[in-house]
Amino acid sequence: MATPPQKPAPVSLRRWIAFAALLAAVALWSWRAQRVLEPSVGYSTLYTWVEGGKIARATLRGRQLEGALRAPAKVDGRDVSTFRTDLPERDDDLLPALRRNGVDVTVARAERPFLVELLMSALPWLIVLVAWGWLSRRADGAFARGPMAALMKSKSRRFAAEGKPPVTFEDIAGLANAKRDLQEIVQFLKAPEPFRRLGAKVPRGVLLVGPPGTGKTLLARAVAGESGVPFFSVIASEFVEMFVGLGAARVRDLFAEAKKSAPAIIFIDEIDAVGRARGAGLGMGNDEREQTLNQLLAELDGFSREQALVVLAATNRPDVLDPALLRPGRFDRRVVVERPELAARRSILNVHAKGKPLGPDVDLQAIAESTPGFSGADLANLVNEAAINAIRRGGATIGADDFAAAADKVILGDPREGKLTGAERRRVAVHEAGHAVVAHASPSGPPVRRVSILPRGLALGATQQAAEEDHHLATRAELRDKLAVLMGGHAAEEVILGDVSTGAEEDLKQATELATNMVAHFGMSDELGAVYYEHRAEHPFLGQRIATNGGASDATVHAIEAATRRLIAEARAHAVETIEARRRALDRLVAALLEKETLERDELAASLGASPDERSRIAAVK
């Protein structure tokens, strides 16, 4: 955006500098002219006159000696009675010689002419006045081009819609509900008259809420692309600096620029960086972040709905935002951007796989089914990693094995360089086989799709389950089965190998978290009943969730812990019972894992047999 022309200053800085330089030149010239009036003699001549007794008086002024002769003497062909001589830095013999020859010696401060004295005393004030005038001139208008302007101006990026918009809703797969809510904003920015005629008020602010990578920023760009208006994008953390007041100044500058370009869109990403609830500081309510938030609240109230200015903001932590930010009149509408479901994942995979040479064995539907919980960014990364893996192996197309390797890399991490010993390798195989056997026997759990004992990232092995359909709720029976699957590896190690190892640490962590939620949050405990206890809360300074009583008594906390231990113990007992009943299937699976290291769904079916779900379908057909 072009900077508007500034008014010229009445007195430029160059005139001040020229005036000061002229004054200094005049003062130095007058001082130099006064000094030239007296003839100068050499240092050797001075000593000759001193030893000859020709000098009557001498005045020492700094590093100059001004003297008067007893009788006139010839200097450069003319008779003089006074003279001057420049002295060296140090001469310990001169004063004794002057006293010895009867010279009347006077020591005086070096004199400077009046103009020099005036310049020396006025120069500091002159510098202060020049600096003050320069800063004042910049603050009146030309300040926008000064060095402080980079700090005071917002760091927003402007994307002007020219010609074909870069991003539209058609470029975004899935998110049908979110796009429907935002379409009204687009209609208002493109044609606000119907809204004004019927008295409808379009939301002043829209808050996009959702997990990371679900497309909140892309949706904001699509709103700008669809409406064809200028789009100002800024990250909330860019408002805050170490200097107090800069954040508020940047907020003012951002809204001022957007109002000049209205209709326009302001998009503030990660707004929780400045929008956290006030009063959570260390007793200081006037810190930079809170001043920035106060200015943002004031700006949201400072423009009318007829200005065609919409503020979009995105966050994945709506629970920590200040209530004043969420009240009606500021962020009126909340649009939830969820992780894509099966159909949306398939559409997203189609978008990112478009133009890429896929092999005949690639089934995007199967990939979508095996990636529950993946965000749009995760799926884009999956396709990219698959392409990179195909390049690494020198393939001409991206095959199903490339997608499998990419999924392992995204979910589990890169393969480890070190190899497991024979005993450790067998223990990992037993552990993963225990998970797979208990999961396969579960009547309500998702089917086992893949088991691997290849060490990747922090995991020594992995058992992957994936439901064919998306589920949004879980019953108590399903969660109990999930607990049993989590305890399957721990149980298999004890049943088969007679002892347990540290490999079950992550399983125990997840099982404890799940069982605690079942007791304290989901009302699935006979001891506590249908109640909710907040056993974890966010620490205001550490920014993480820590254990806390949440207002419950110590007896209640102990009851939660006892019920949690009971659920885990029951799940482990069920896992042990299942493993003992299916010992042959587990042994076959361990042998197959030690041979092939990774087993897919069809190979697992050959080792484990039919699942309860498959047996029920066969019985229904008969």
Side-chain angles (χ1 to χ4, degrees):
M1 181 176 179
T3 303
Q6 307 296 333
K7 296 180 180 179
V11 180
S12 66
L13 181 61
R14 294 180 179 178
R15 295 181 181 179
W16 282 100
I17 296 176
F19 175 74
L22 178 61
L23 185 63
V26 170
L28 292 176
W29 175 82
S30 62
W31 185 33
R32 184 68 179 176
Q34 182 180 357
R35 294 294 91 194
V36 173
L37 294 178
E38 297 179 354
S40 176
V41 301
Y43 196 63
S44 299
T45 304
L46 172 66
Y47 257 95
T48 302
W49 286 355
V50 170
E51 295 297 339
K54 294 183 177 182
I55 300 177
R57 296 185 308 277
T59 301
L60 295 175
R61 298 182 185 274
R63 293 180 58 185
Q64 276 194 350
L65 183 145
E66 298 175 359
L69 300 175
R70 299 181 188 276
K74 290 286 187 181
V75 176
D76 295 334
R78 63 190 182 101
D79 293 332
V80 296
S81 58
T82 61
F83 67 94
R84 64 181 178 85
T85 302
D86 293 329
L87 302 178
E89 282 192 27
R90 183 172 181 178
D91 187 352
D92 297 334
D93 298 332
L94 179 60
L95 284 176
L98 292 173
R99 290 196 298 268
R100 188 172 58 248
N101 289 278
V103 179
D104 184 13
V105 179
T106 302
V107 179
R109 182 172 63 89
E111 290 185 357
R112 290 187 289 247
F114 173 75
L115 288 178
V116 174
E117 292 286 348
L118 179 63
L119 180 62
M120 296 299 292
S121 60
L123 185 60
W125 294 102
L126 185 63
I127 293 175
V128 171
L129 290 175
V130 170
W132 178 80
W134 179 74
L135 291 177
S136 299
R137 183 167 58 90
R138 290 296 188 268
D140 290 339
F143 183 74
R145 298 190 300 269
M148 292 293 292
L151 294 177
M152 302 295 290
K153 291 186 68 64
S154 70
K155 297 183 178 181
S156 63
R157 275 77 57 189
R158 174 176 174 171
F159 304 91
E162 298 178 358
K164 185 178 180 181
V167 180
T168 64
F169 287 146
E170 295 182 356
D171 300 322
I172 303 176
L175 304 178
N177 294 333
K179 289 190 289 188
R180 183 177 60 250
D181 289 338
L182 293 174
Q183 188 65 41
E184 297 175 354
I185 307 297
V186 174
Q187 293 175 0
F188 168 72
L189 292 173
K190 294 177 68 175
E193 289 303 324
F195 293 85
R196 296 171 181 170
R197 185 173 59 253
L198 297 178
K201 297 181 178 179
V202 173
R204 178 173 297 179
V206 179
L207 184 64
L208 304 176
V209 179
T214 51
K216 299 184 292 295
T217 303
L218 190 62
L219 275 173
R221 295 284 301 274
V223 172
E226 290 278 350
S227 57
V229 300
F231 178 73
F232 295 85
S233 176
V234 64
I235 301 175
S237 60
E238 295 176 344
F239 287 129
V240 182
E241 292 283 358
M242 63 179 292
F243 301 107
V244 176
L246 283 182
R250 289 174 176 176
V251 171
R252 287 192 296 269
D253 181 76
L254 171 62
F255 276 82
E257 291 293 325
K259 289 175 183 178
K260 294 177 184 177
S261 305
I265 295 173
I266 296 176
F267 176 62
I268 306 175
D269 202 2
E270 306 294 345
I271 194 174
D272 50 278
V274 296
R276 285 177 173 261
R278 288 166 290 185
L282 296 172
M284 297 178 61
N286 61 340
D287 61 355
E288 171 68 358
R289 184 187 60 80
E290 292 194 3
Q291 287 193 25
T292 305
L293 174 58
N294 292 335
Q295 185 63 43
L296 179 60
L297 296 175
E299 293 292 343
L300 288 172
D301 284 336
F303 65 90
S304 64
R305 297 180 186 269
E306 286 74 21
Q307 284 184 309
L309 181 64
V310 176
V311 181
L312 301 181
T315 181
N316 54 13
R317 295 297 309 277
D319 54 308
V320 302
L321 295 181
D322 194 282
L325 199 62
L326 302 177
R327 73 159 176 82
R330 286 175 179 151
F331 283 100
D332 307 86
R333 177 173 294 183
R334 180 179 299 189
V335 176
V336 179
V337 186
E338 299 177 342
R339 288 189 174 91
E341 298 188 359
L342 178 58
R345 291 198 300 273
R346 172 61 190 270
S347 300
I348 294 172
L349 286 172
N350 287 336
V351 170
H352 293 294
K354 185 178 180 180
K356 295 181 174 63
L358 301 182
D361 58 343
V362 174
D363 185 358
L364 293 181
Q365 180 66 26
I367 296 173
E369 293 174 357
S370 63
T371 53
F374 272 46
S375 66
D378 294 331
L379 294 172
N381 187 40
L382 176 67
V383 175
N384 186 63
E385 289 291 342
I388 293 175
N389 190 79
I391 295 173
R392 186 181 298 120
R393 65 176 178 82
T397 59
I398 306 174
D401 293 339
D402 297 318
F403 277 97
D408 288 340
K409 182 179 179 62
V410 172
I411 298 174
L412 302 175
D414 292 317
R416 292 191 183 184
E417 295 183 0
K419 297 293 184 180
L420 297 176
T421 63
E424 288 181 336
R425 191 165 177 267
R426 174 172 171 74
R427 181 174 291 275
V428 173
V430 170
H431 184 101
E432 298 303 331
H435 286 307
V437 167
V438 177
H440 189 73
S442 171
S444 60
V448 182
R449 289 186 174 271
R450 200 160 183 259
V451 179
S452 175
I453 60 171
L454 288 174
R456 285 179 172 272
L458 300 177
L460 298 178
T463 300
Q464 299 177 13
Q465 295 176 266
E468 296 179 354
E469 298 178 351
D470 292 309
H471 294 276
H472 304 92
L473 297 173
T475 64
R476 175 160 48 185
E478 291 172 345
L479 294 181
R480 286 179 179 271
D481 288 342
K482 186 175 181 179
L483 279 177
V485 173
L486 288 171
M487 299 303 298
H490 187 276
E493 287 189 44
E494 186 168 0
V495 171
I496 305 301
L497 303 176
D499 197 4
V500 295
S501 67
T502 59
E505 177 185 4
E506 186 63 25
D507 299 331
L508 296 176
K509 178 181 177 181
Q510 294 182 30
T512 304
E513 184 73 19
L514 175 59
T516 305
N517 288 333
M518 292 174 64
V519 173
H521 289 178
F522 305 150
M524 296 179 178
S525 168
D526 296 333
E527 293 89 343
L528 280 81
V531 292
Y532 179 93
Y533 291 104
E534 181 56 74
H535 63 289
R536 292 183 180 274
E538 182 174 350
H539 194 284
F541 311 134
L542 300 180
Q544 61 186 16
R545 300 183 71 81
I546 59 174
T548 178
N549 287 3
S553 64
D554 291 341
T556 301
V557 174
H558 293 322
I560 293 175
E561 294 174 351
T564 299
R565 284 194 294 270
R566 180 183 61 78
L567 284 176
I568 294 176
E570 291 176 355
R572 184 180 179 282
H574 177 66
V576 169
E577 180 182 353
T578 302
I579 289 170
E580 290 177 344
R582 296 171 175 266
R583 176 65 184 270
R584 291 184 178 179
L586 189 142
D587 290 340
R588 290 196 302 268
L589 184 56
V590 169
L593 284 172
L594 292 175
E595 178 185 356
K596 297 183 177 180
E597 293 186 327
T598 300
L599 299 178
E600 302 295 340
R601 185 170 183 174
D602 295 339
E603 298 169 313
L604 288 170
S607 299
L608 296 174
S611 66
D613 183 52
E614 292 170 345
R615 289 197 299 269
S616 64
R617 288 200 297 266
I618 294 173
V621 172
K622 291 182 179 180

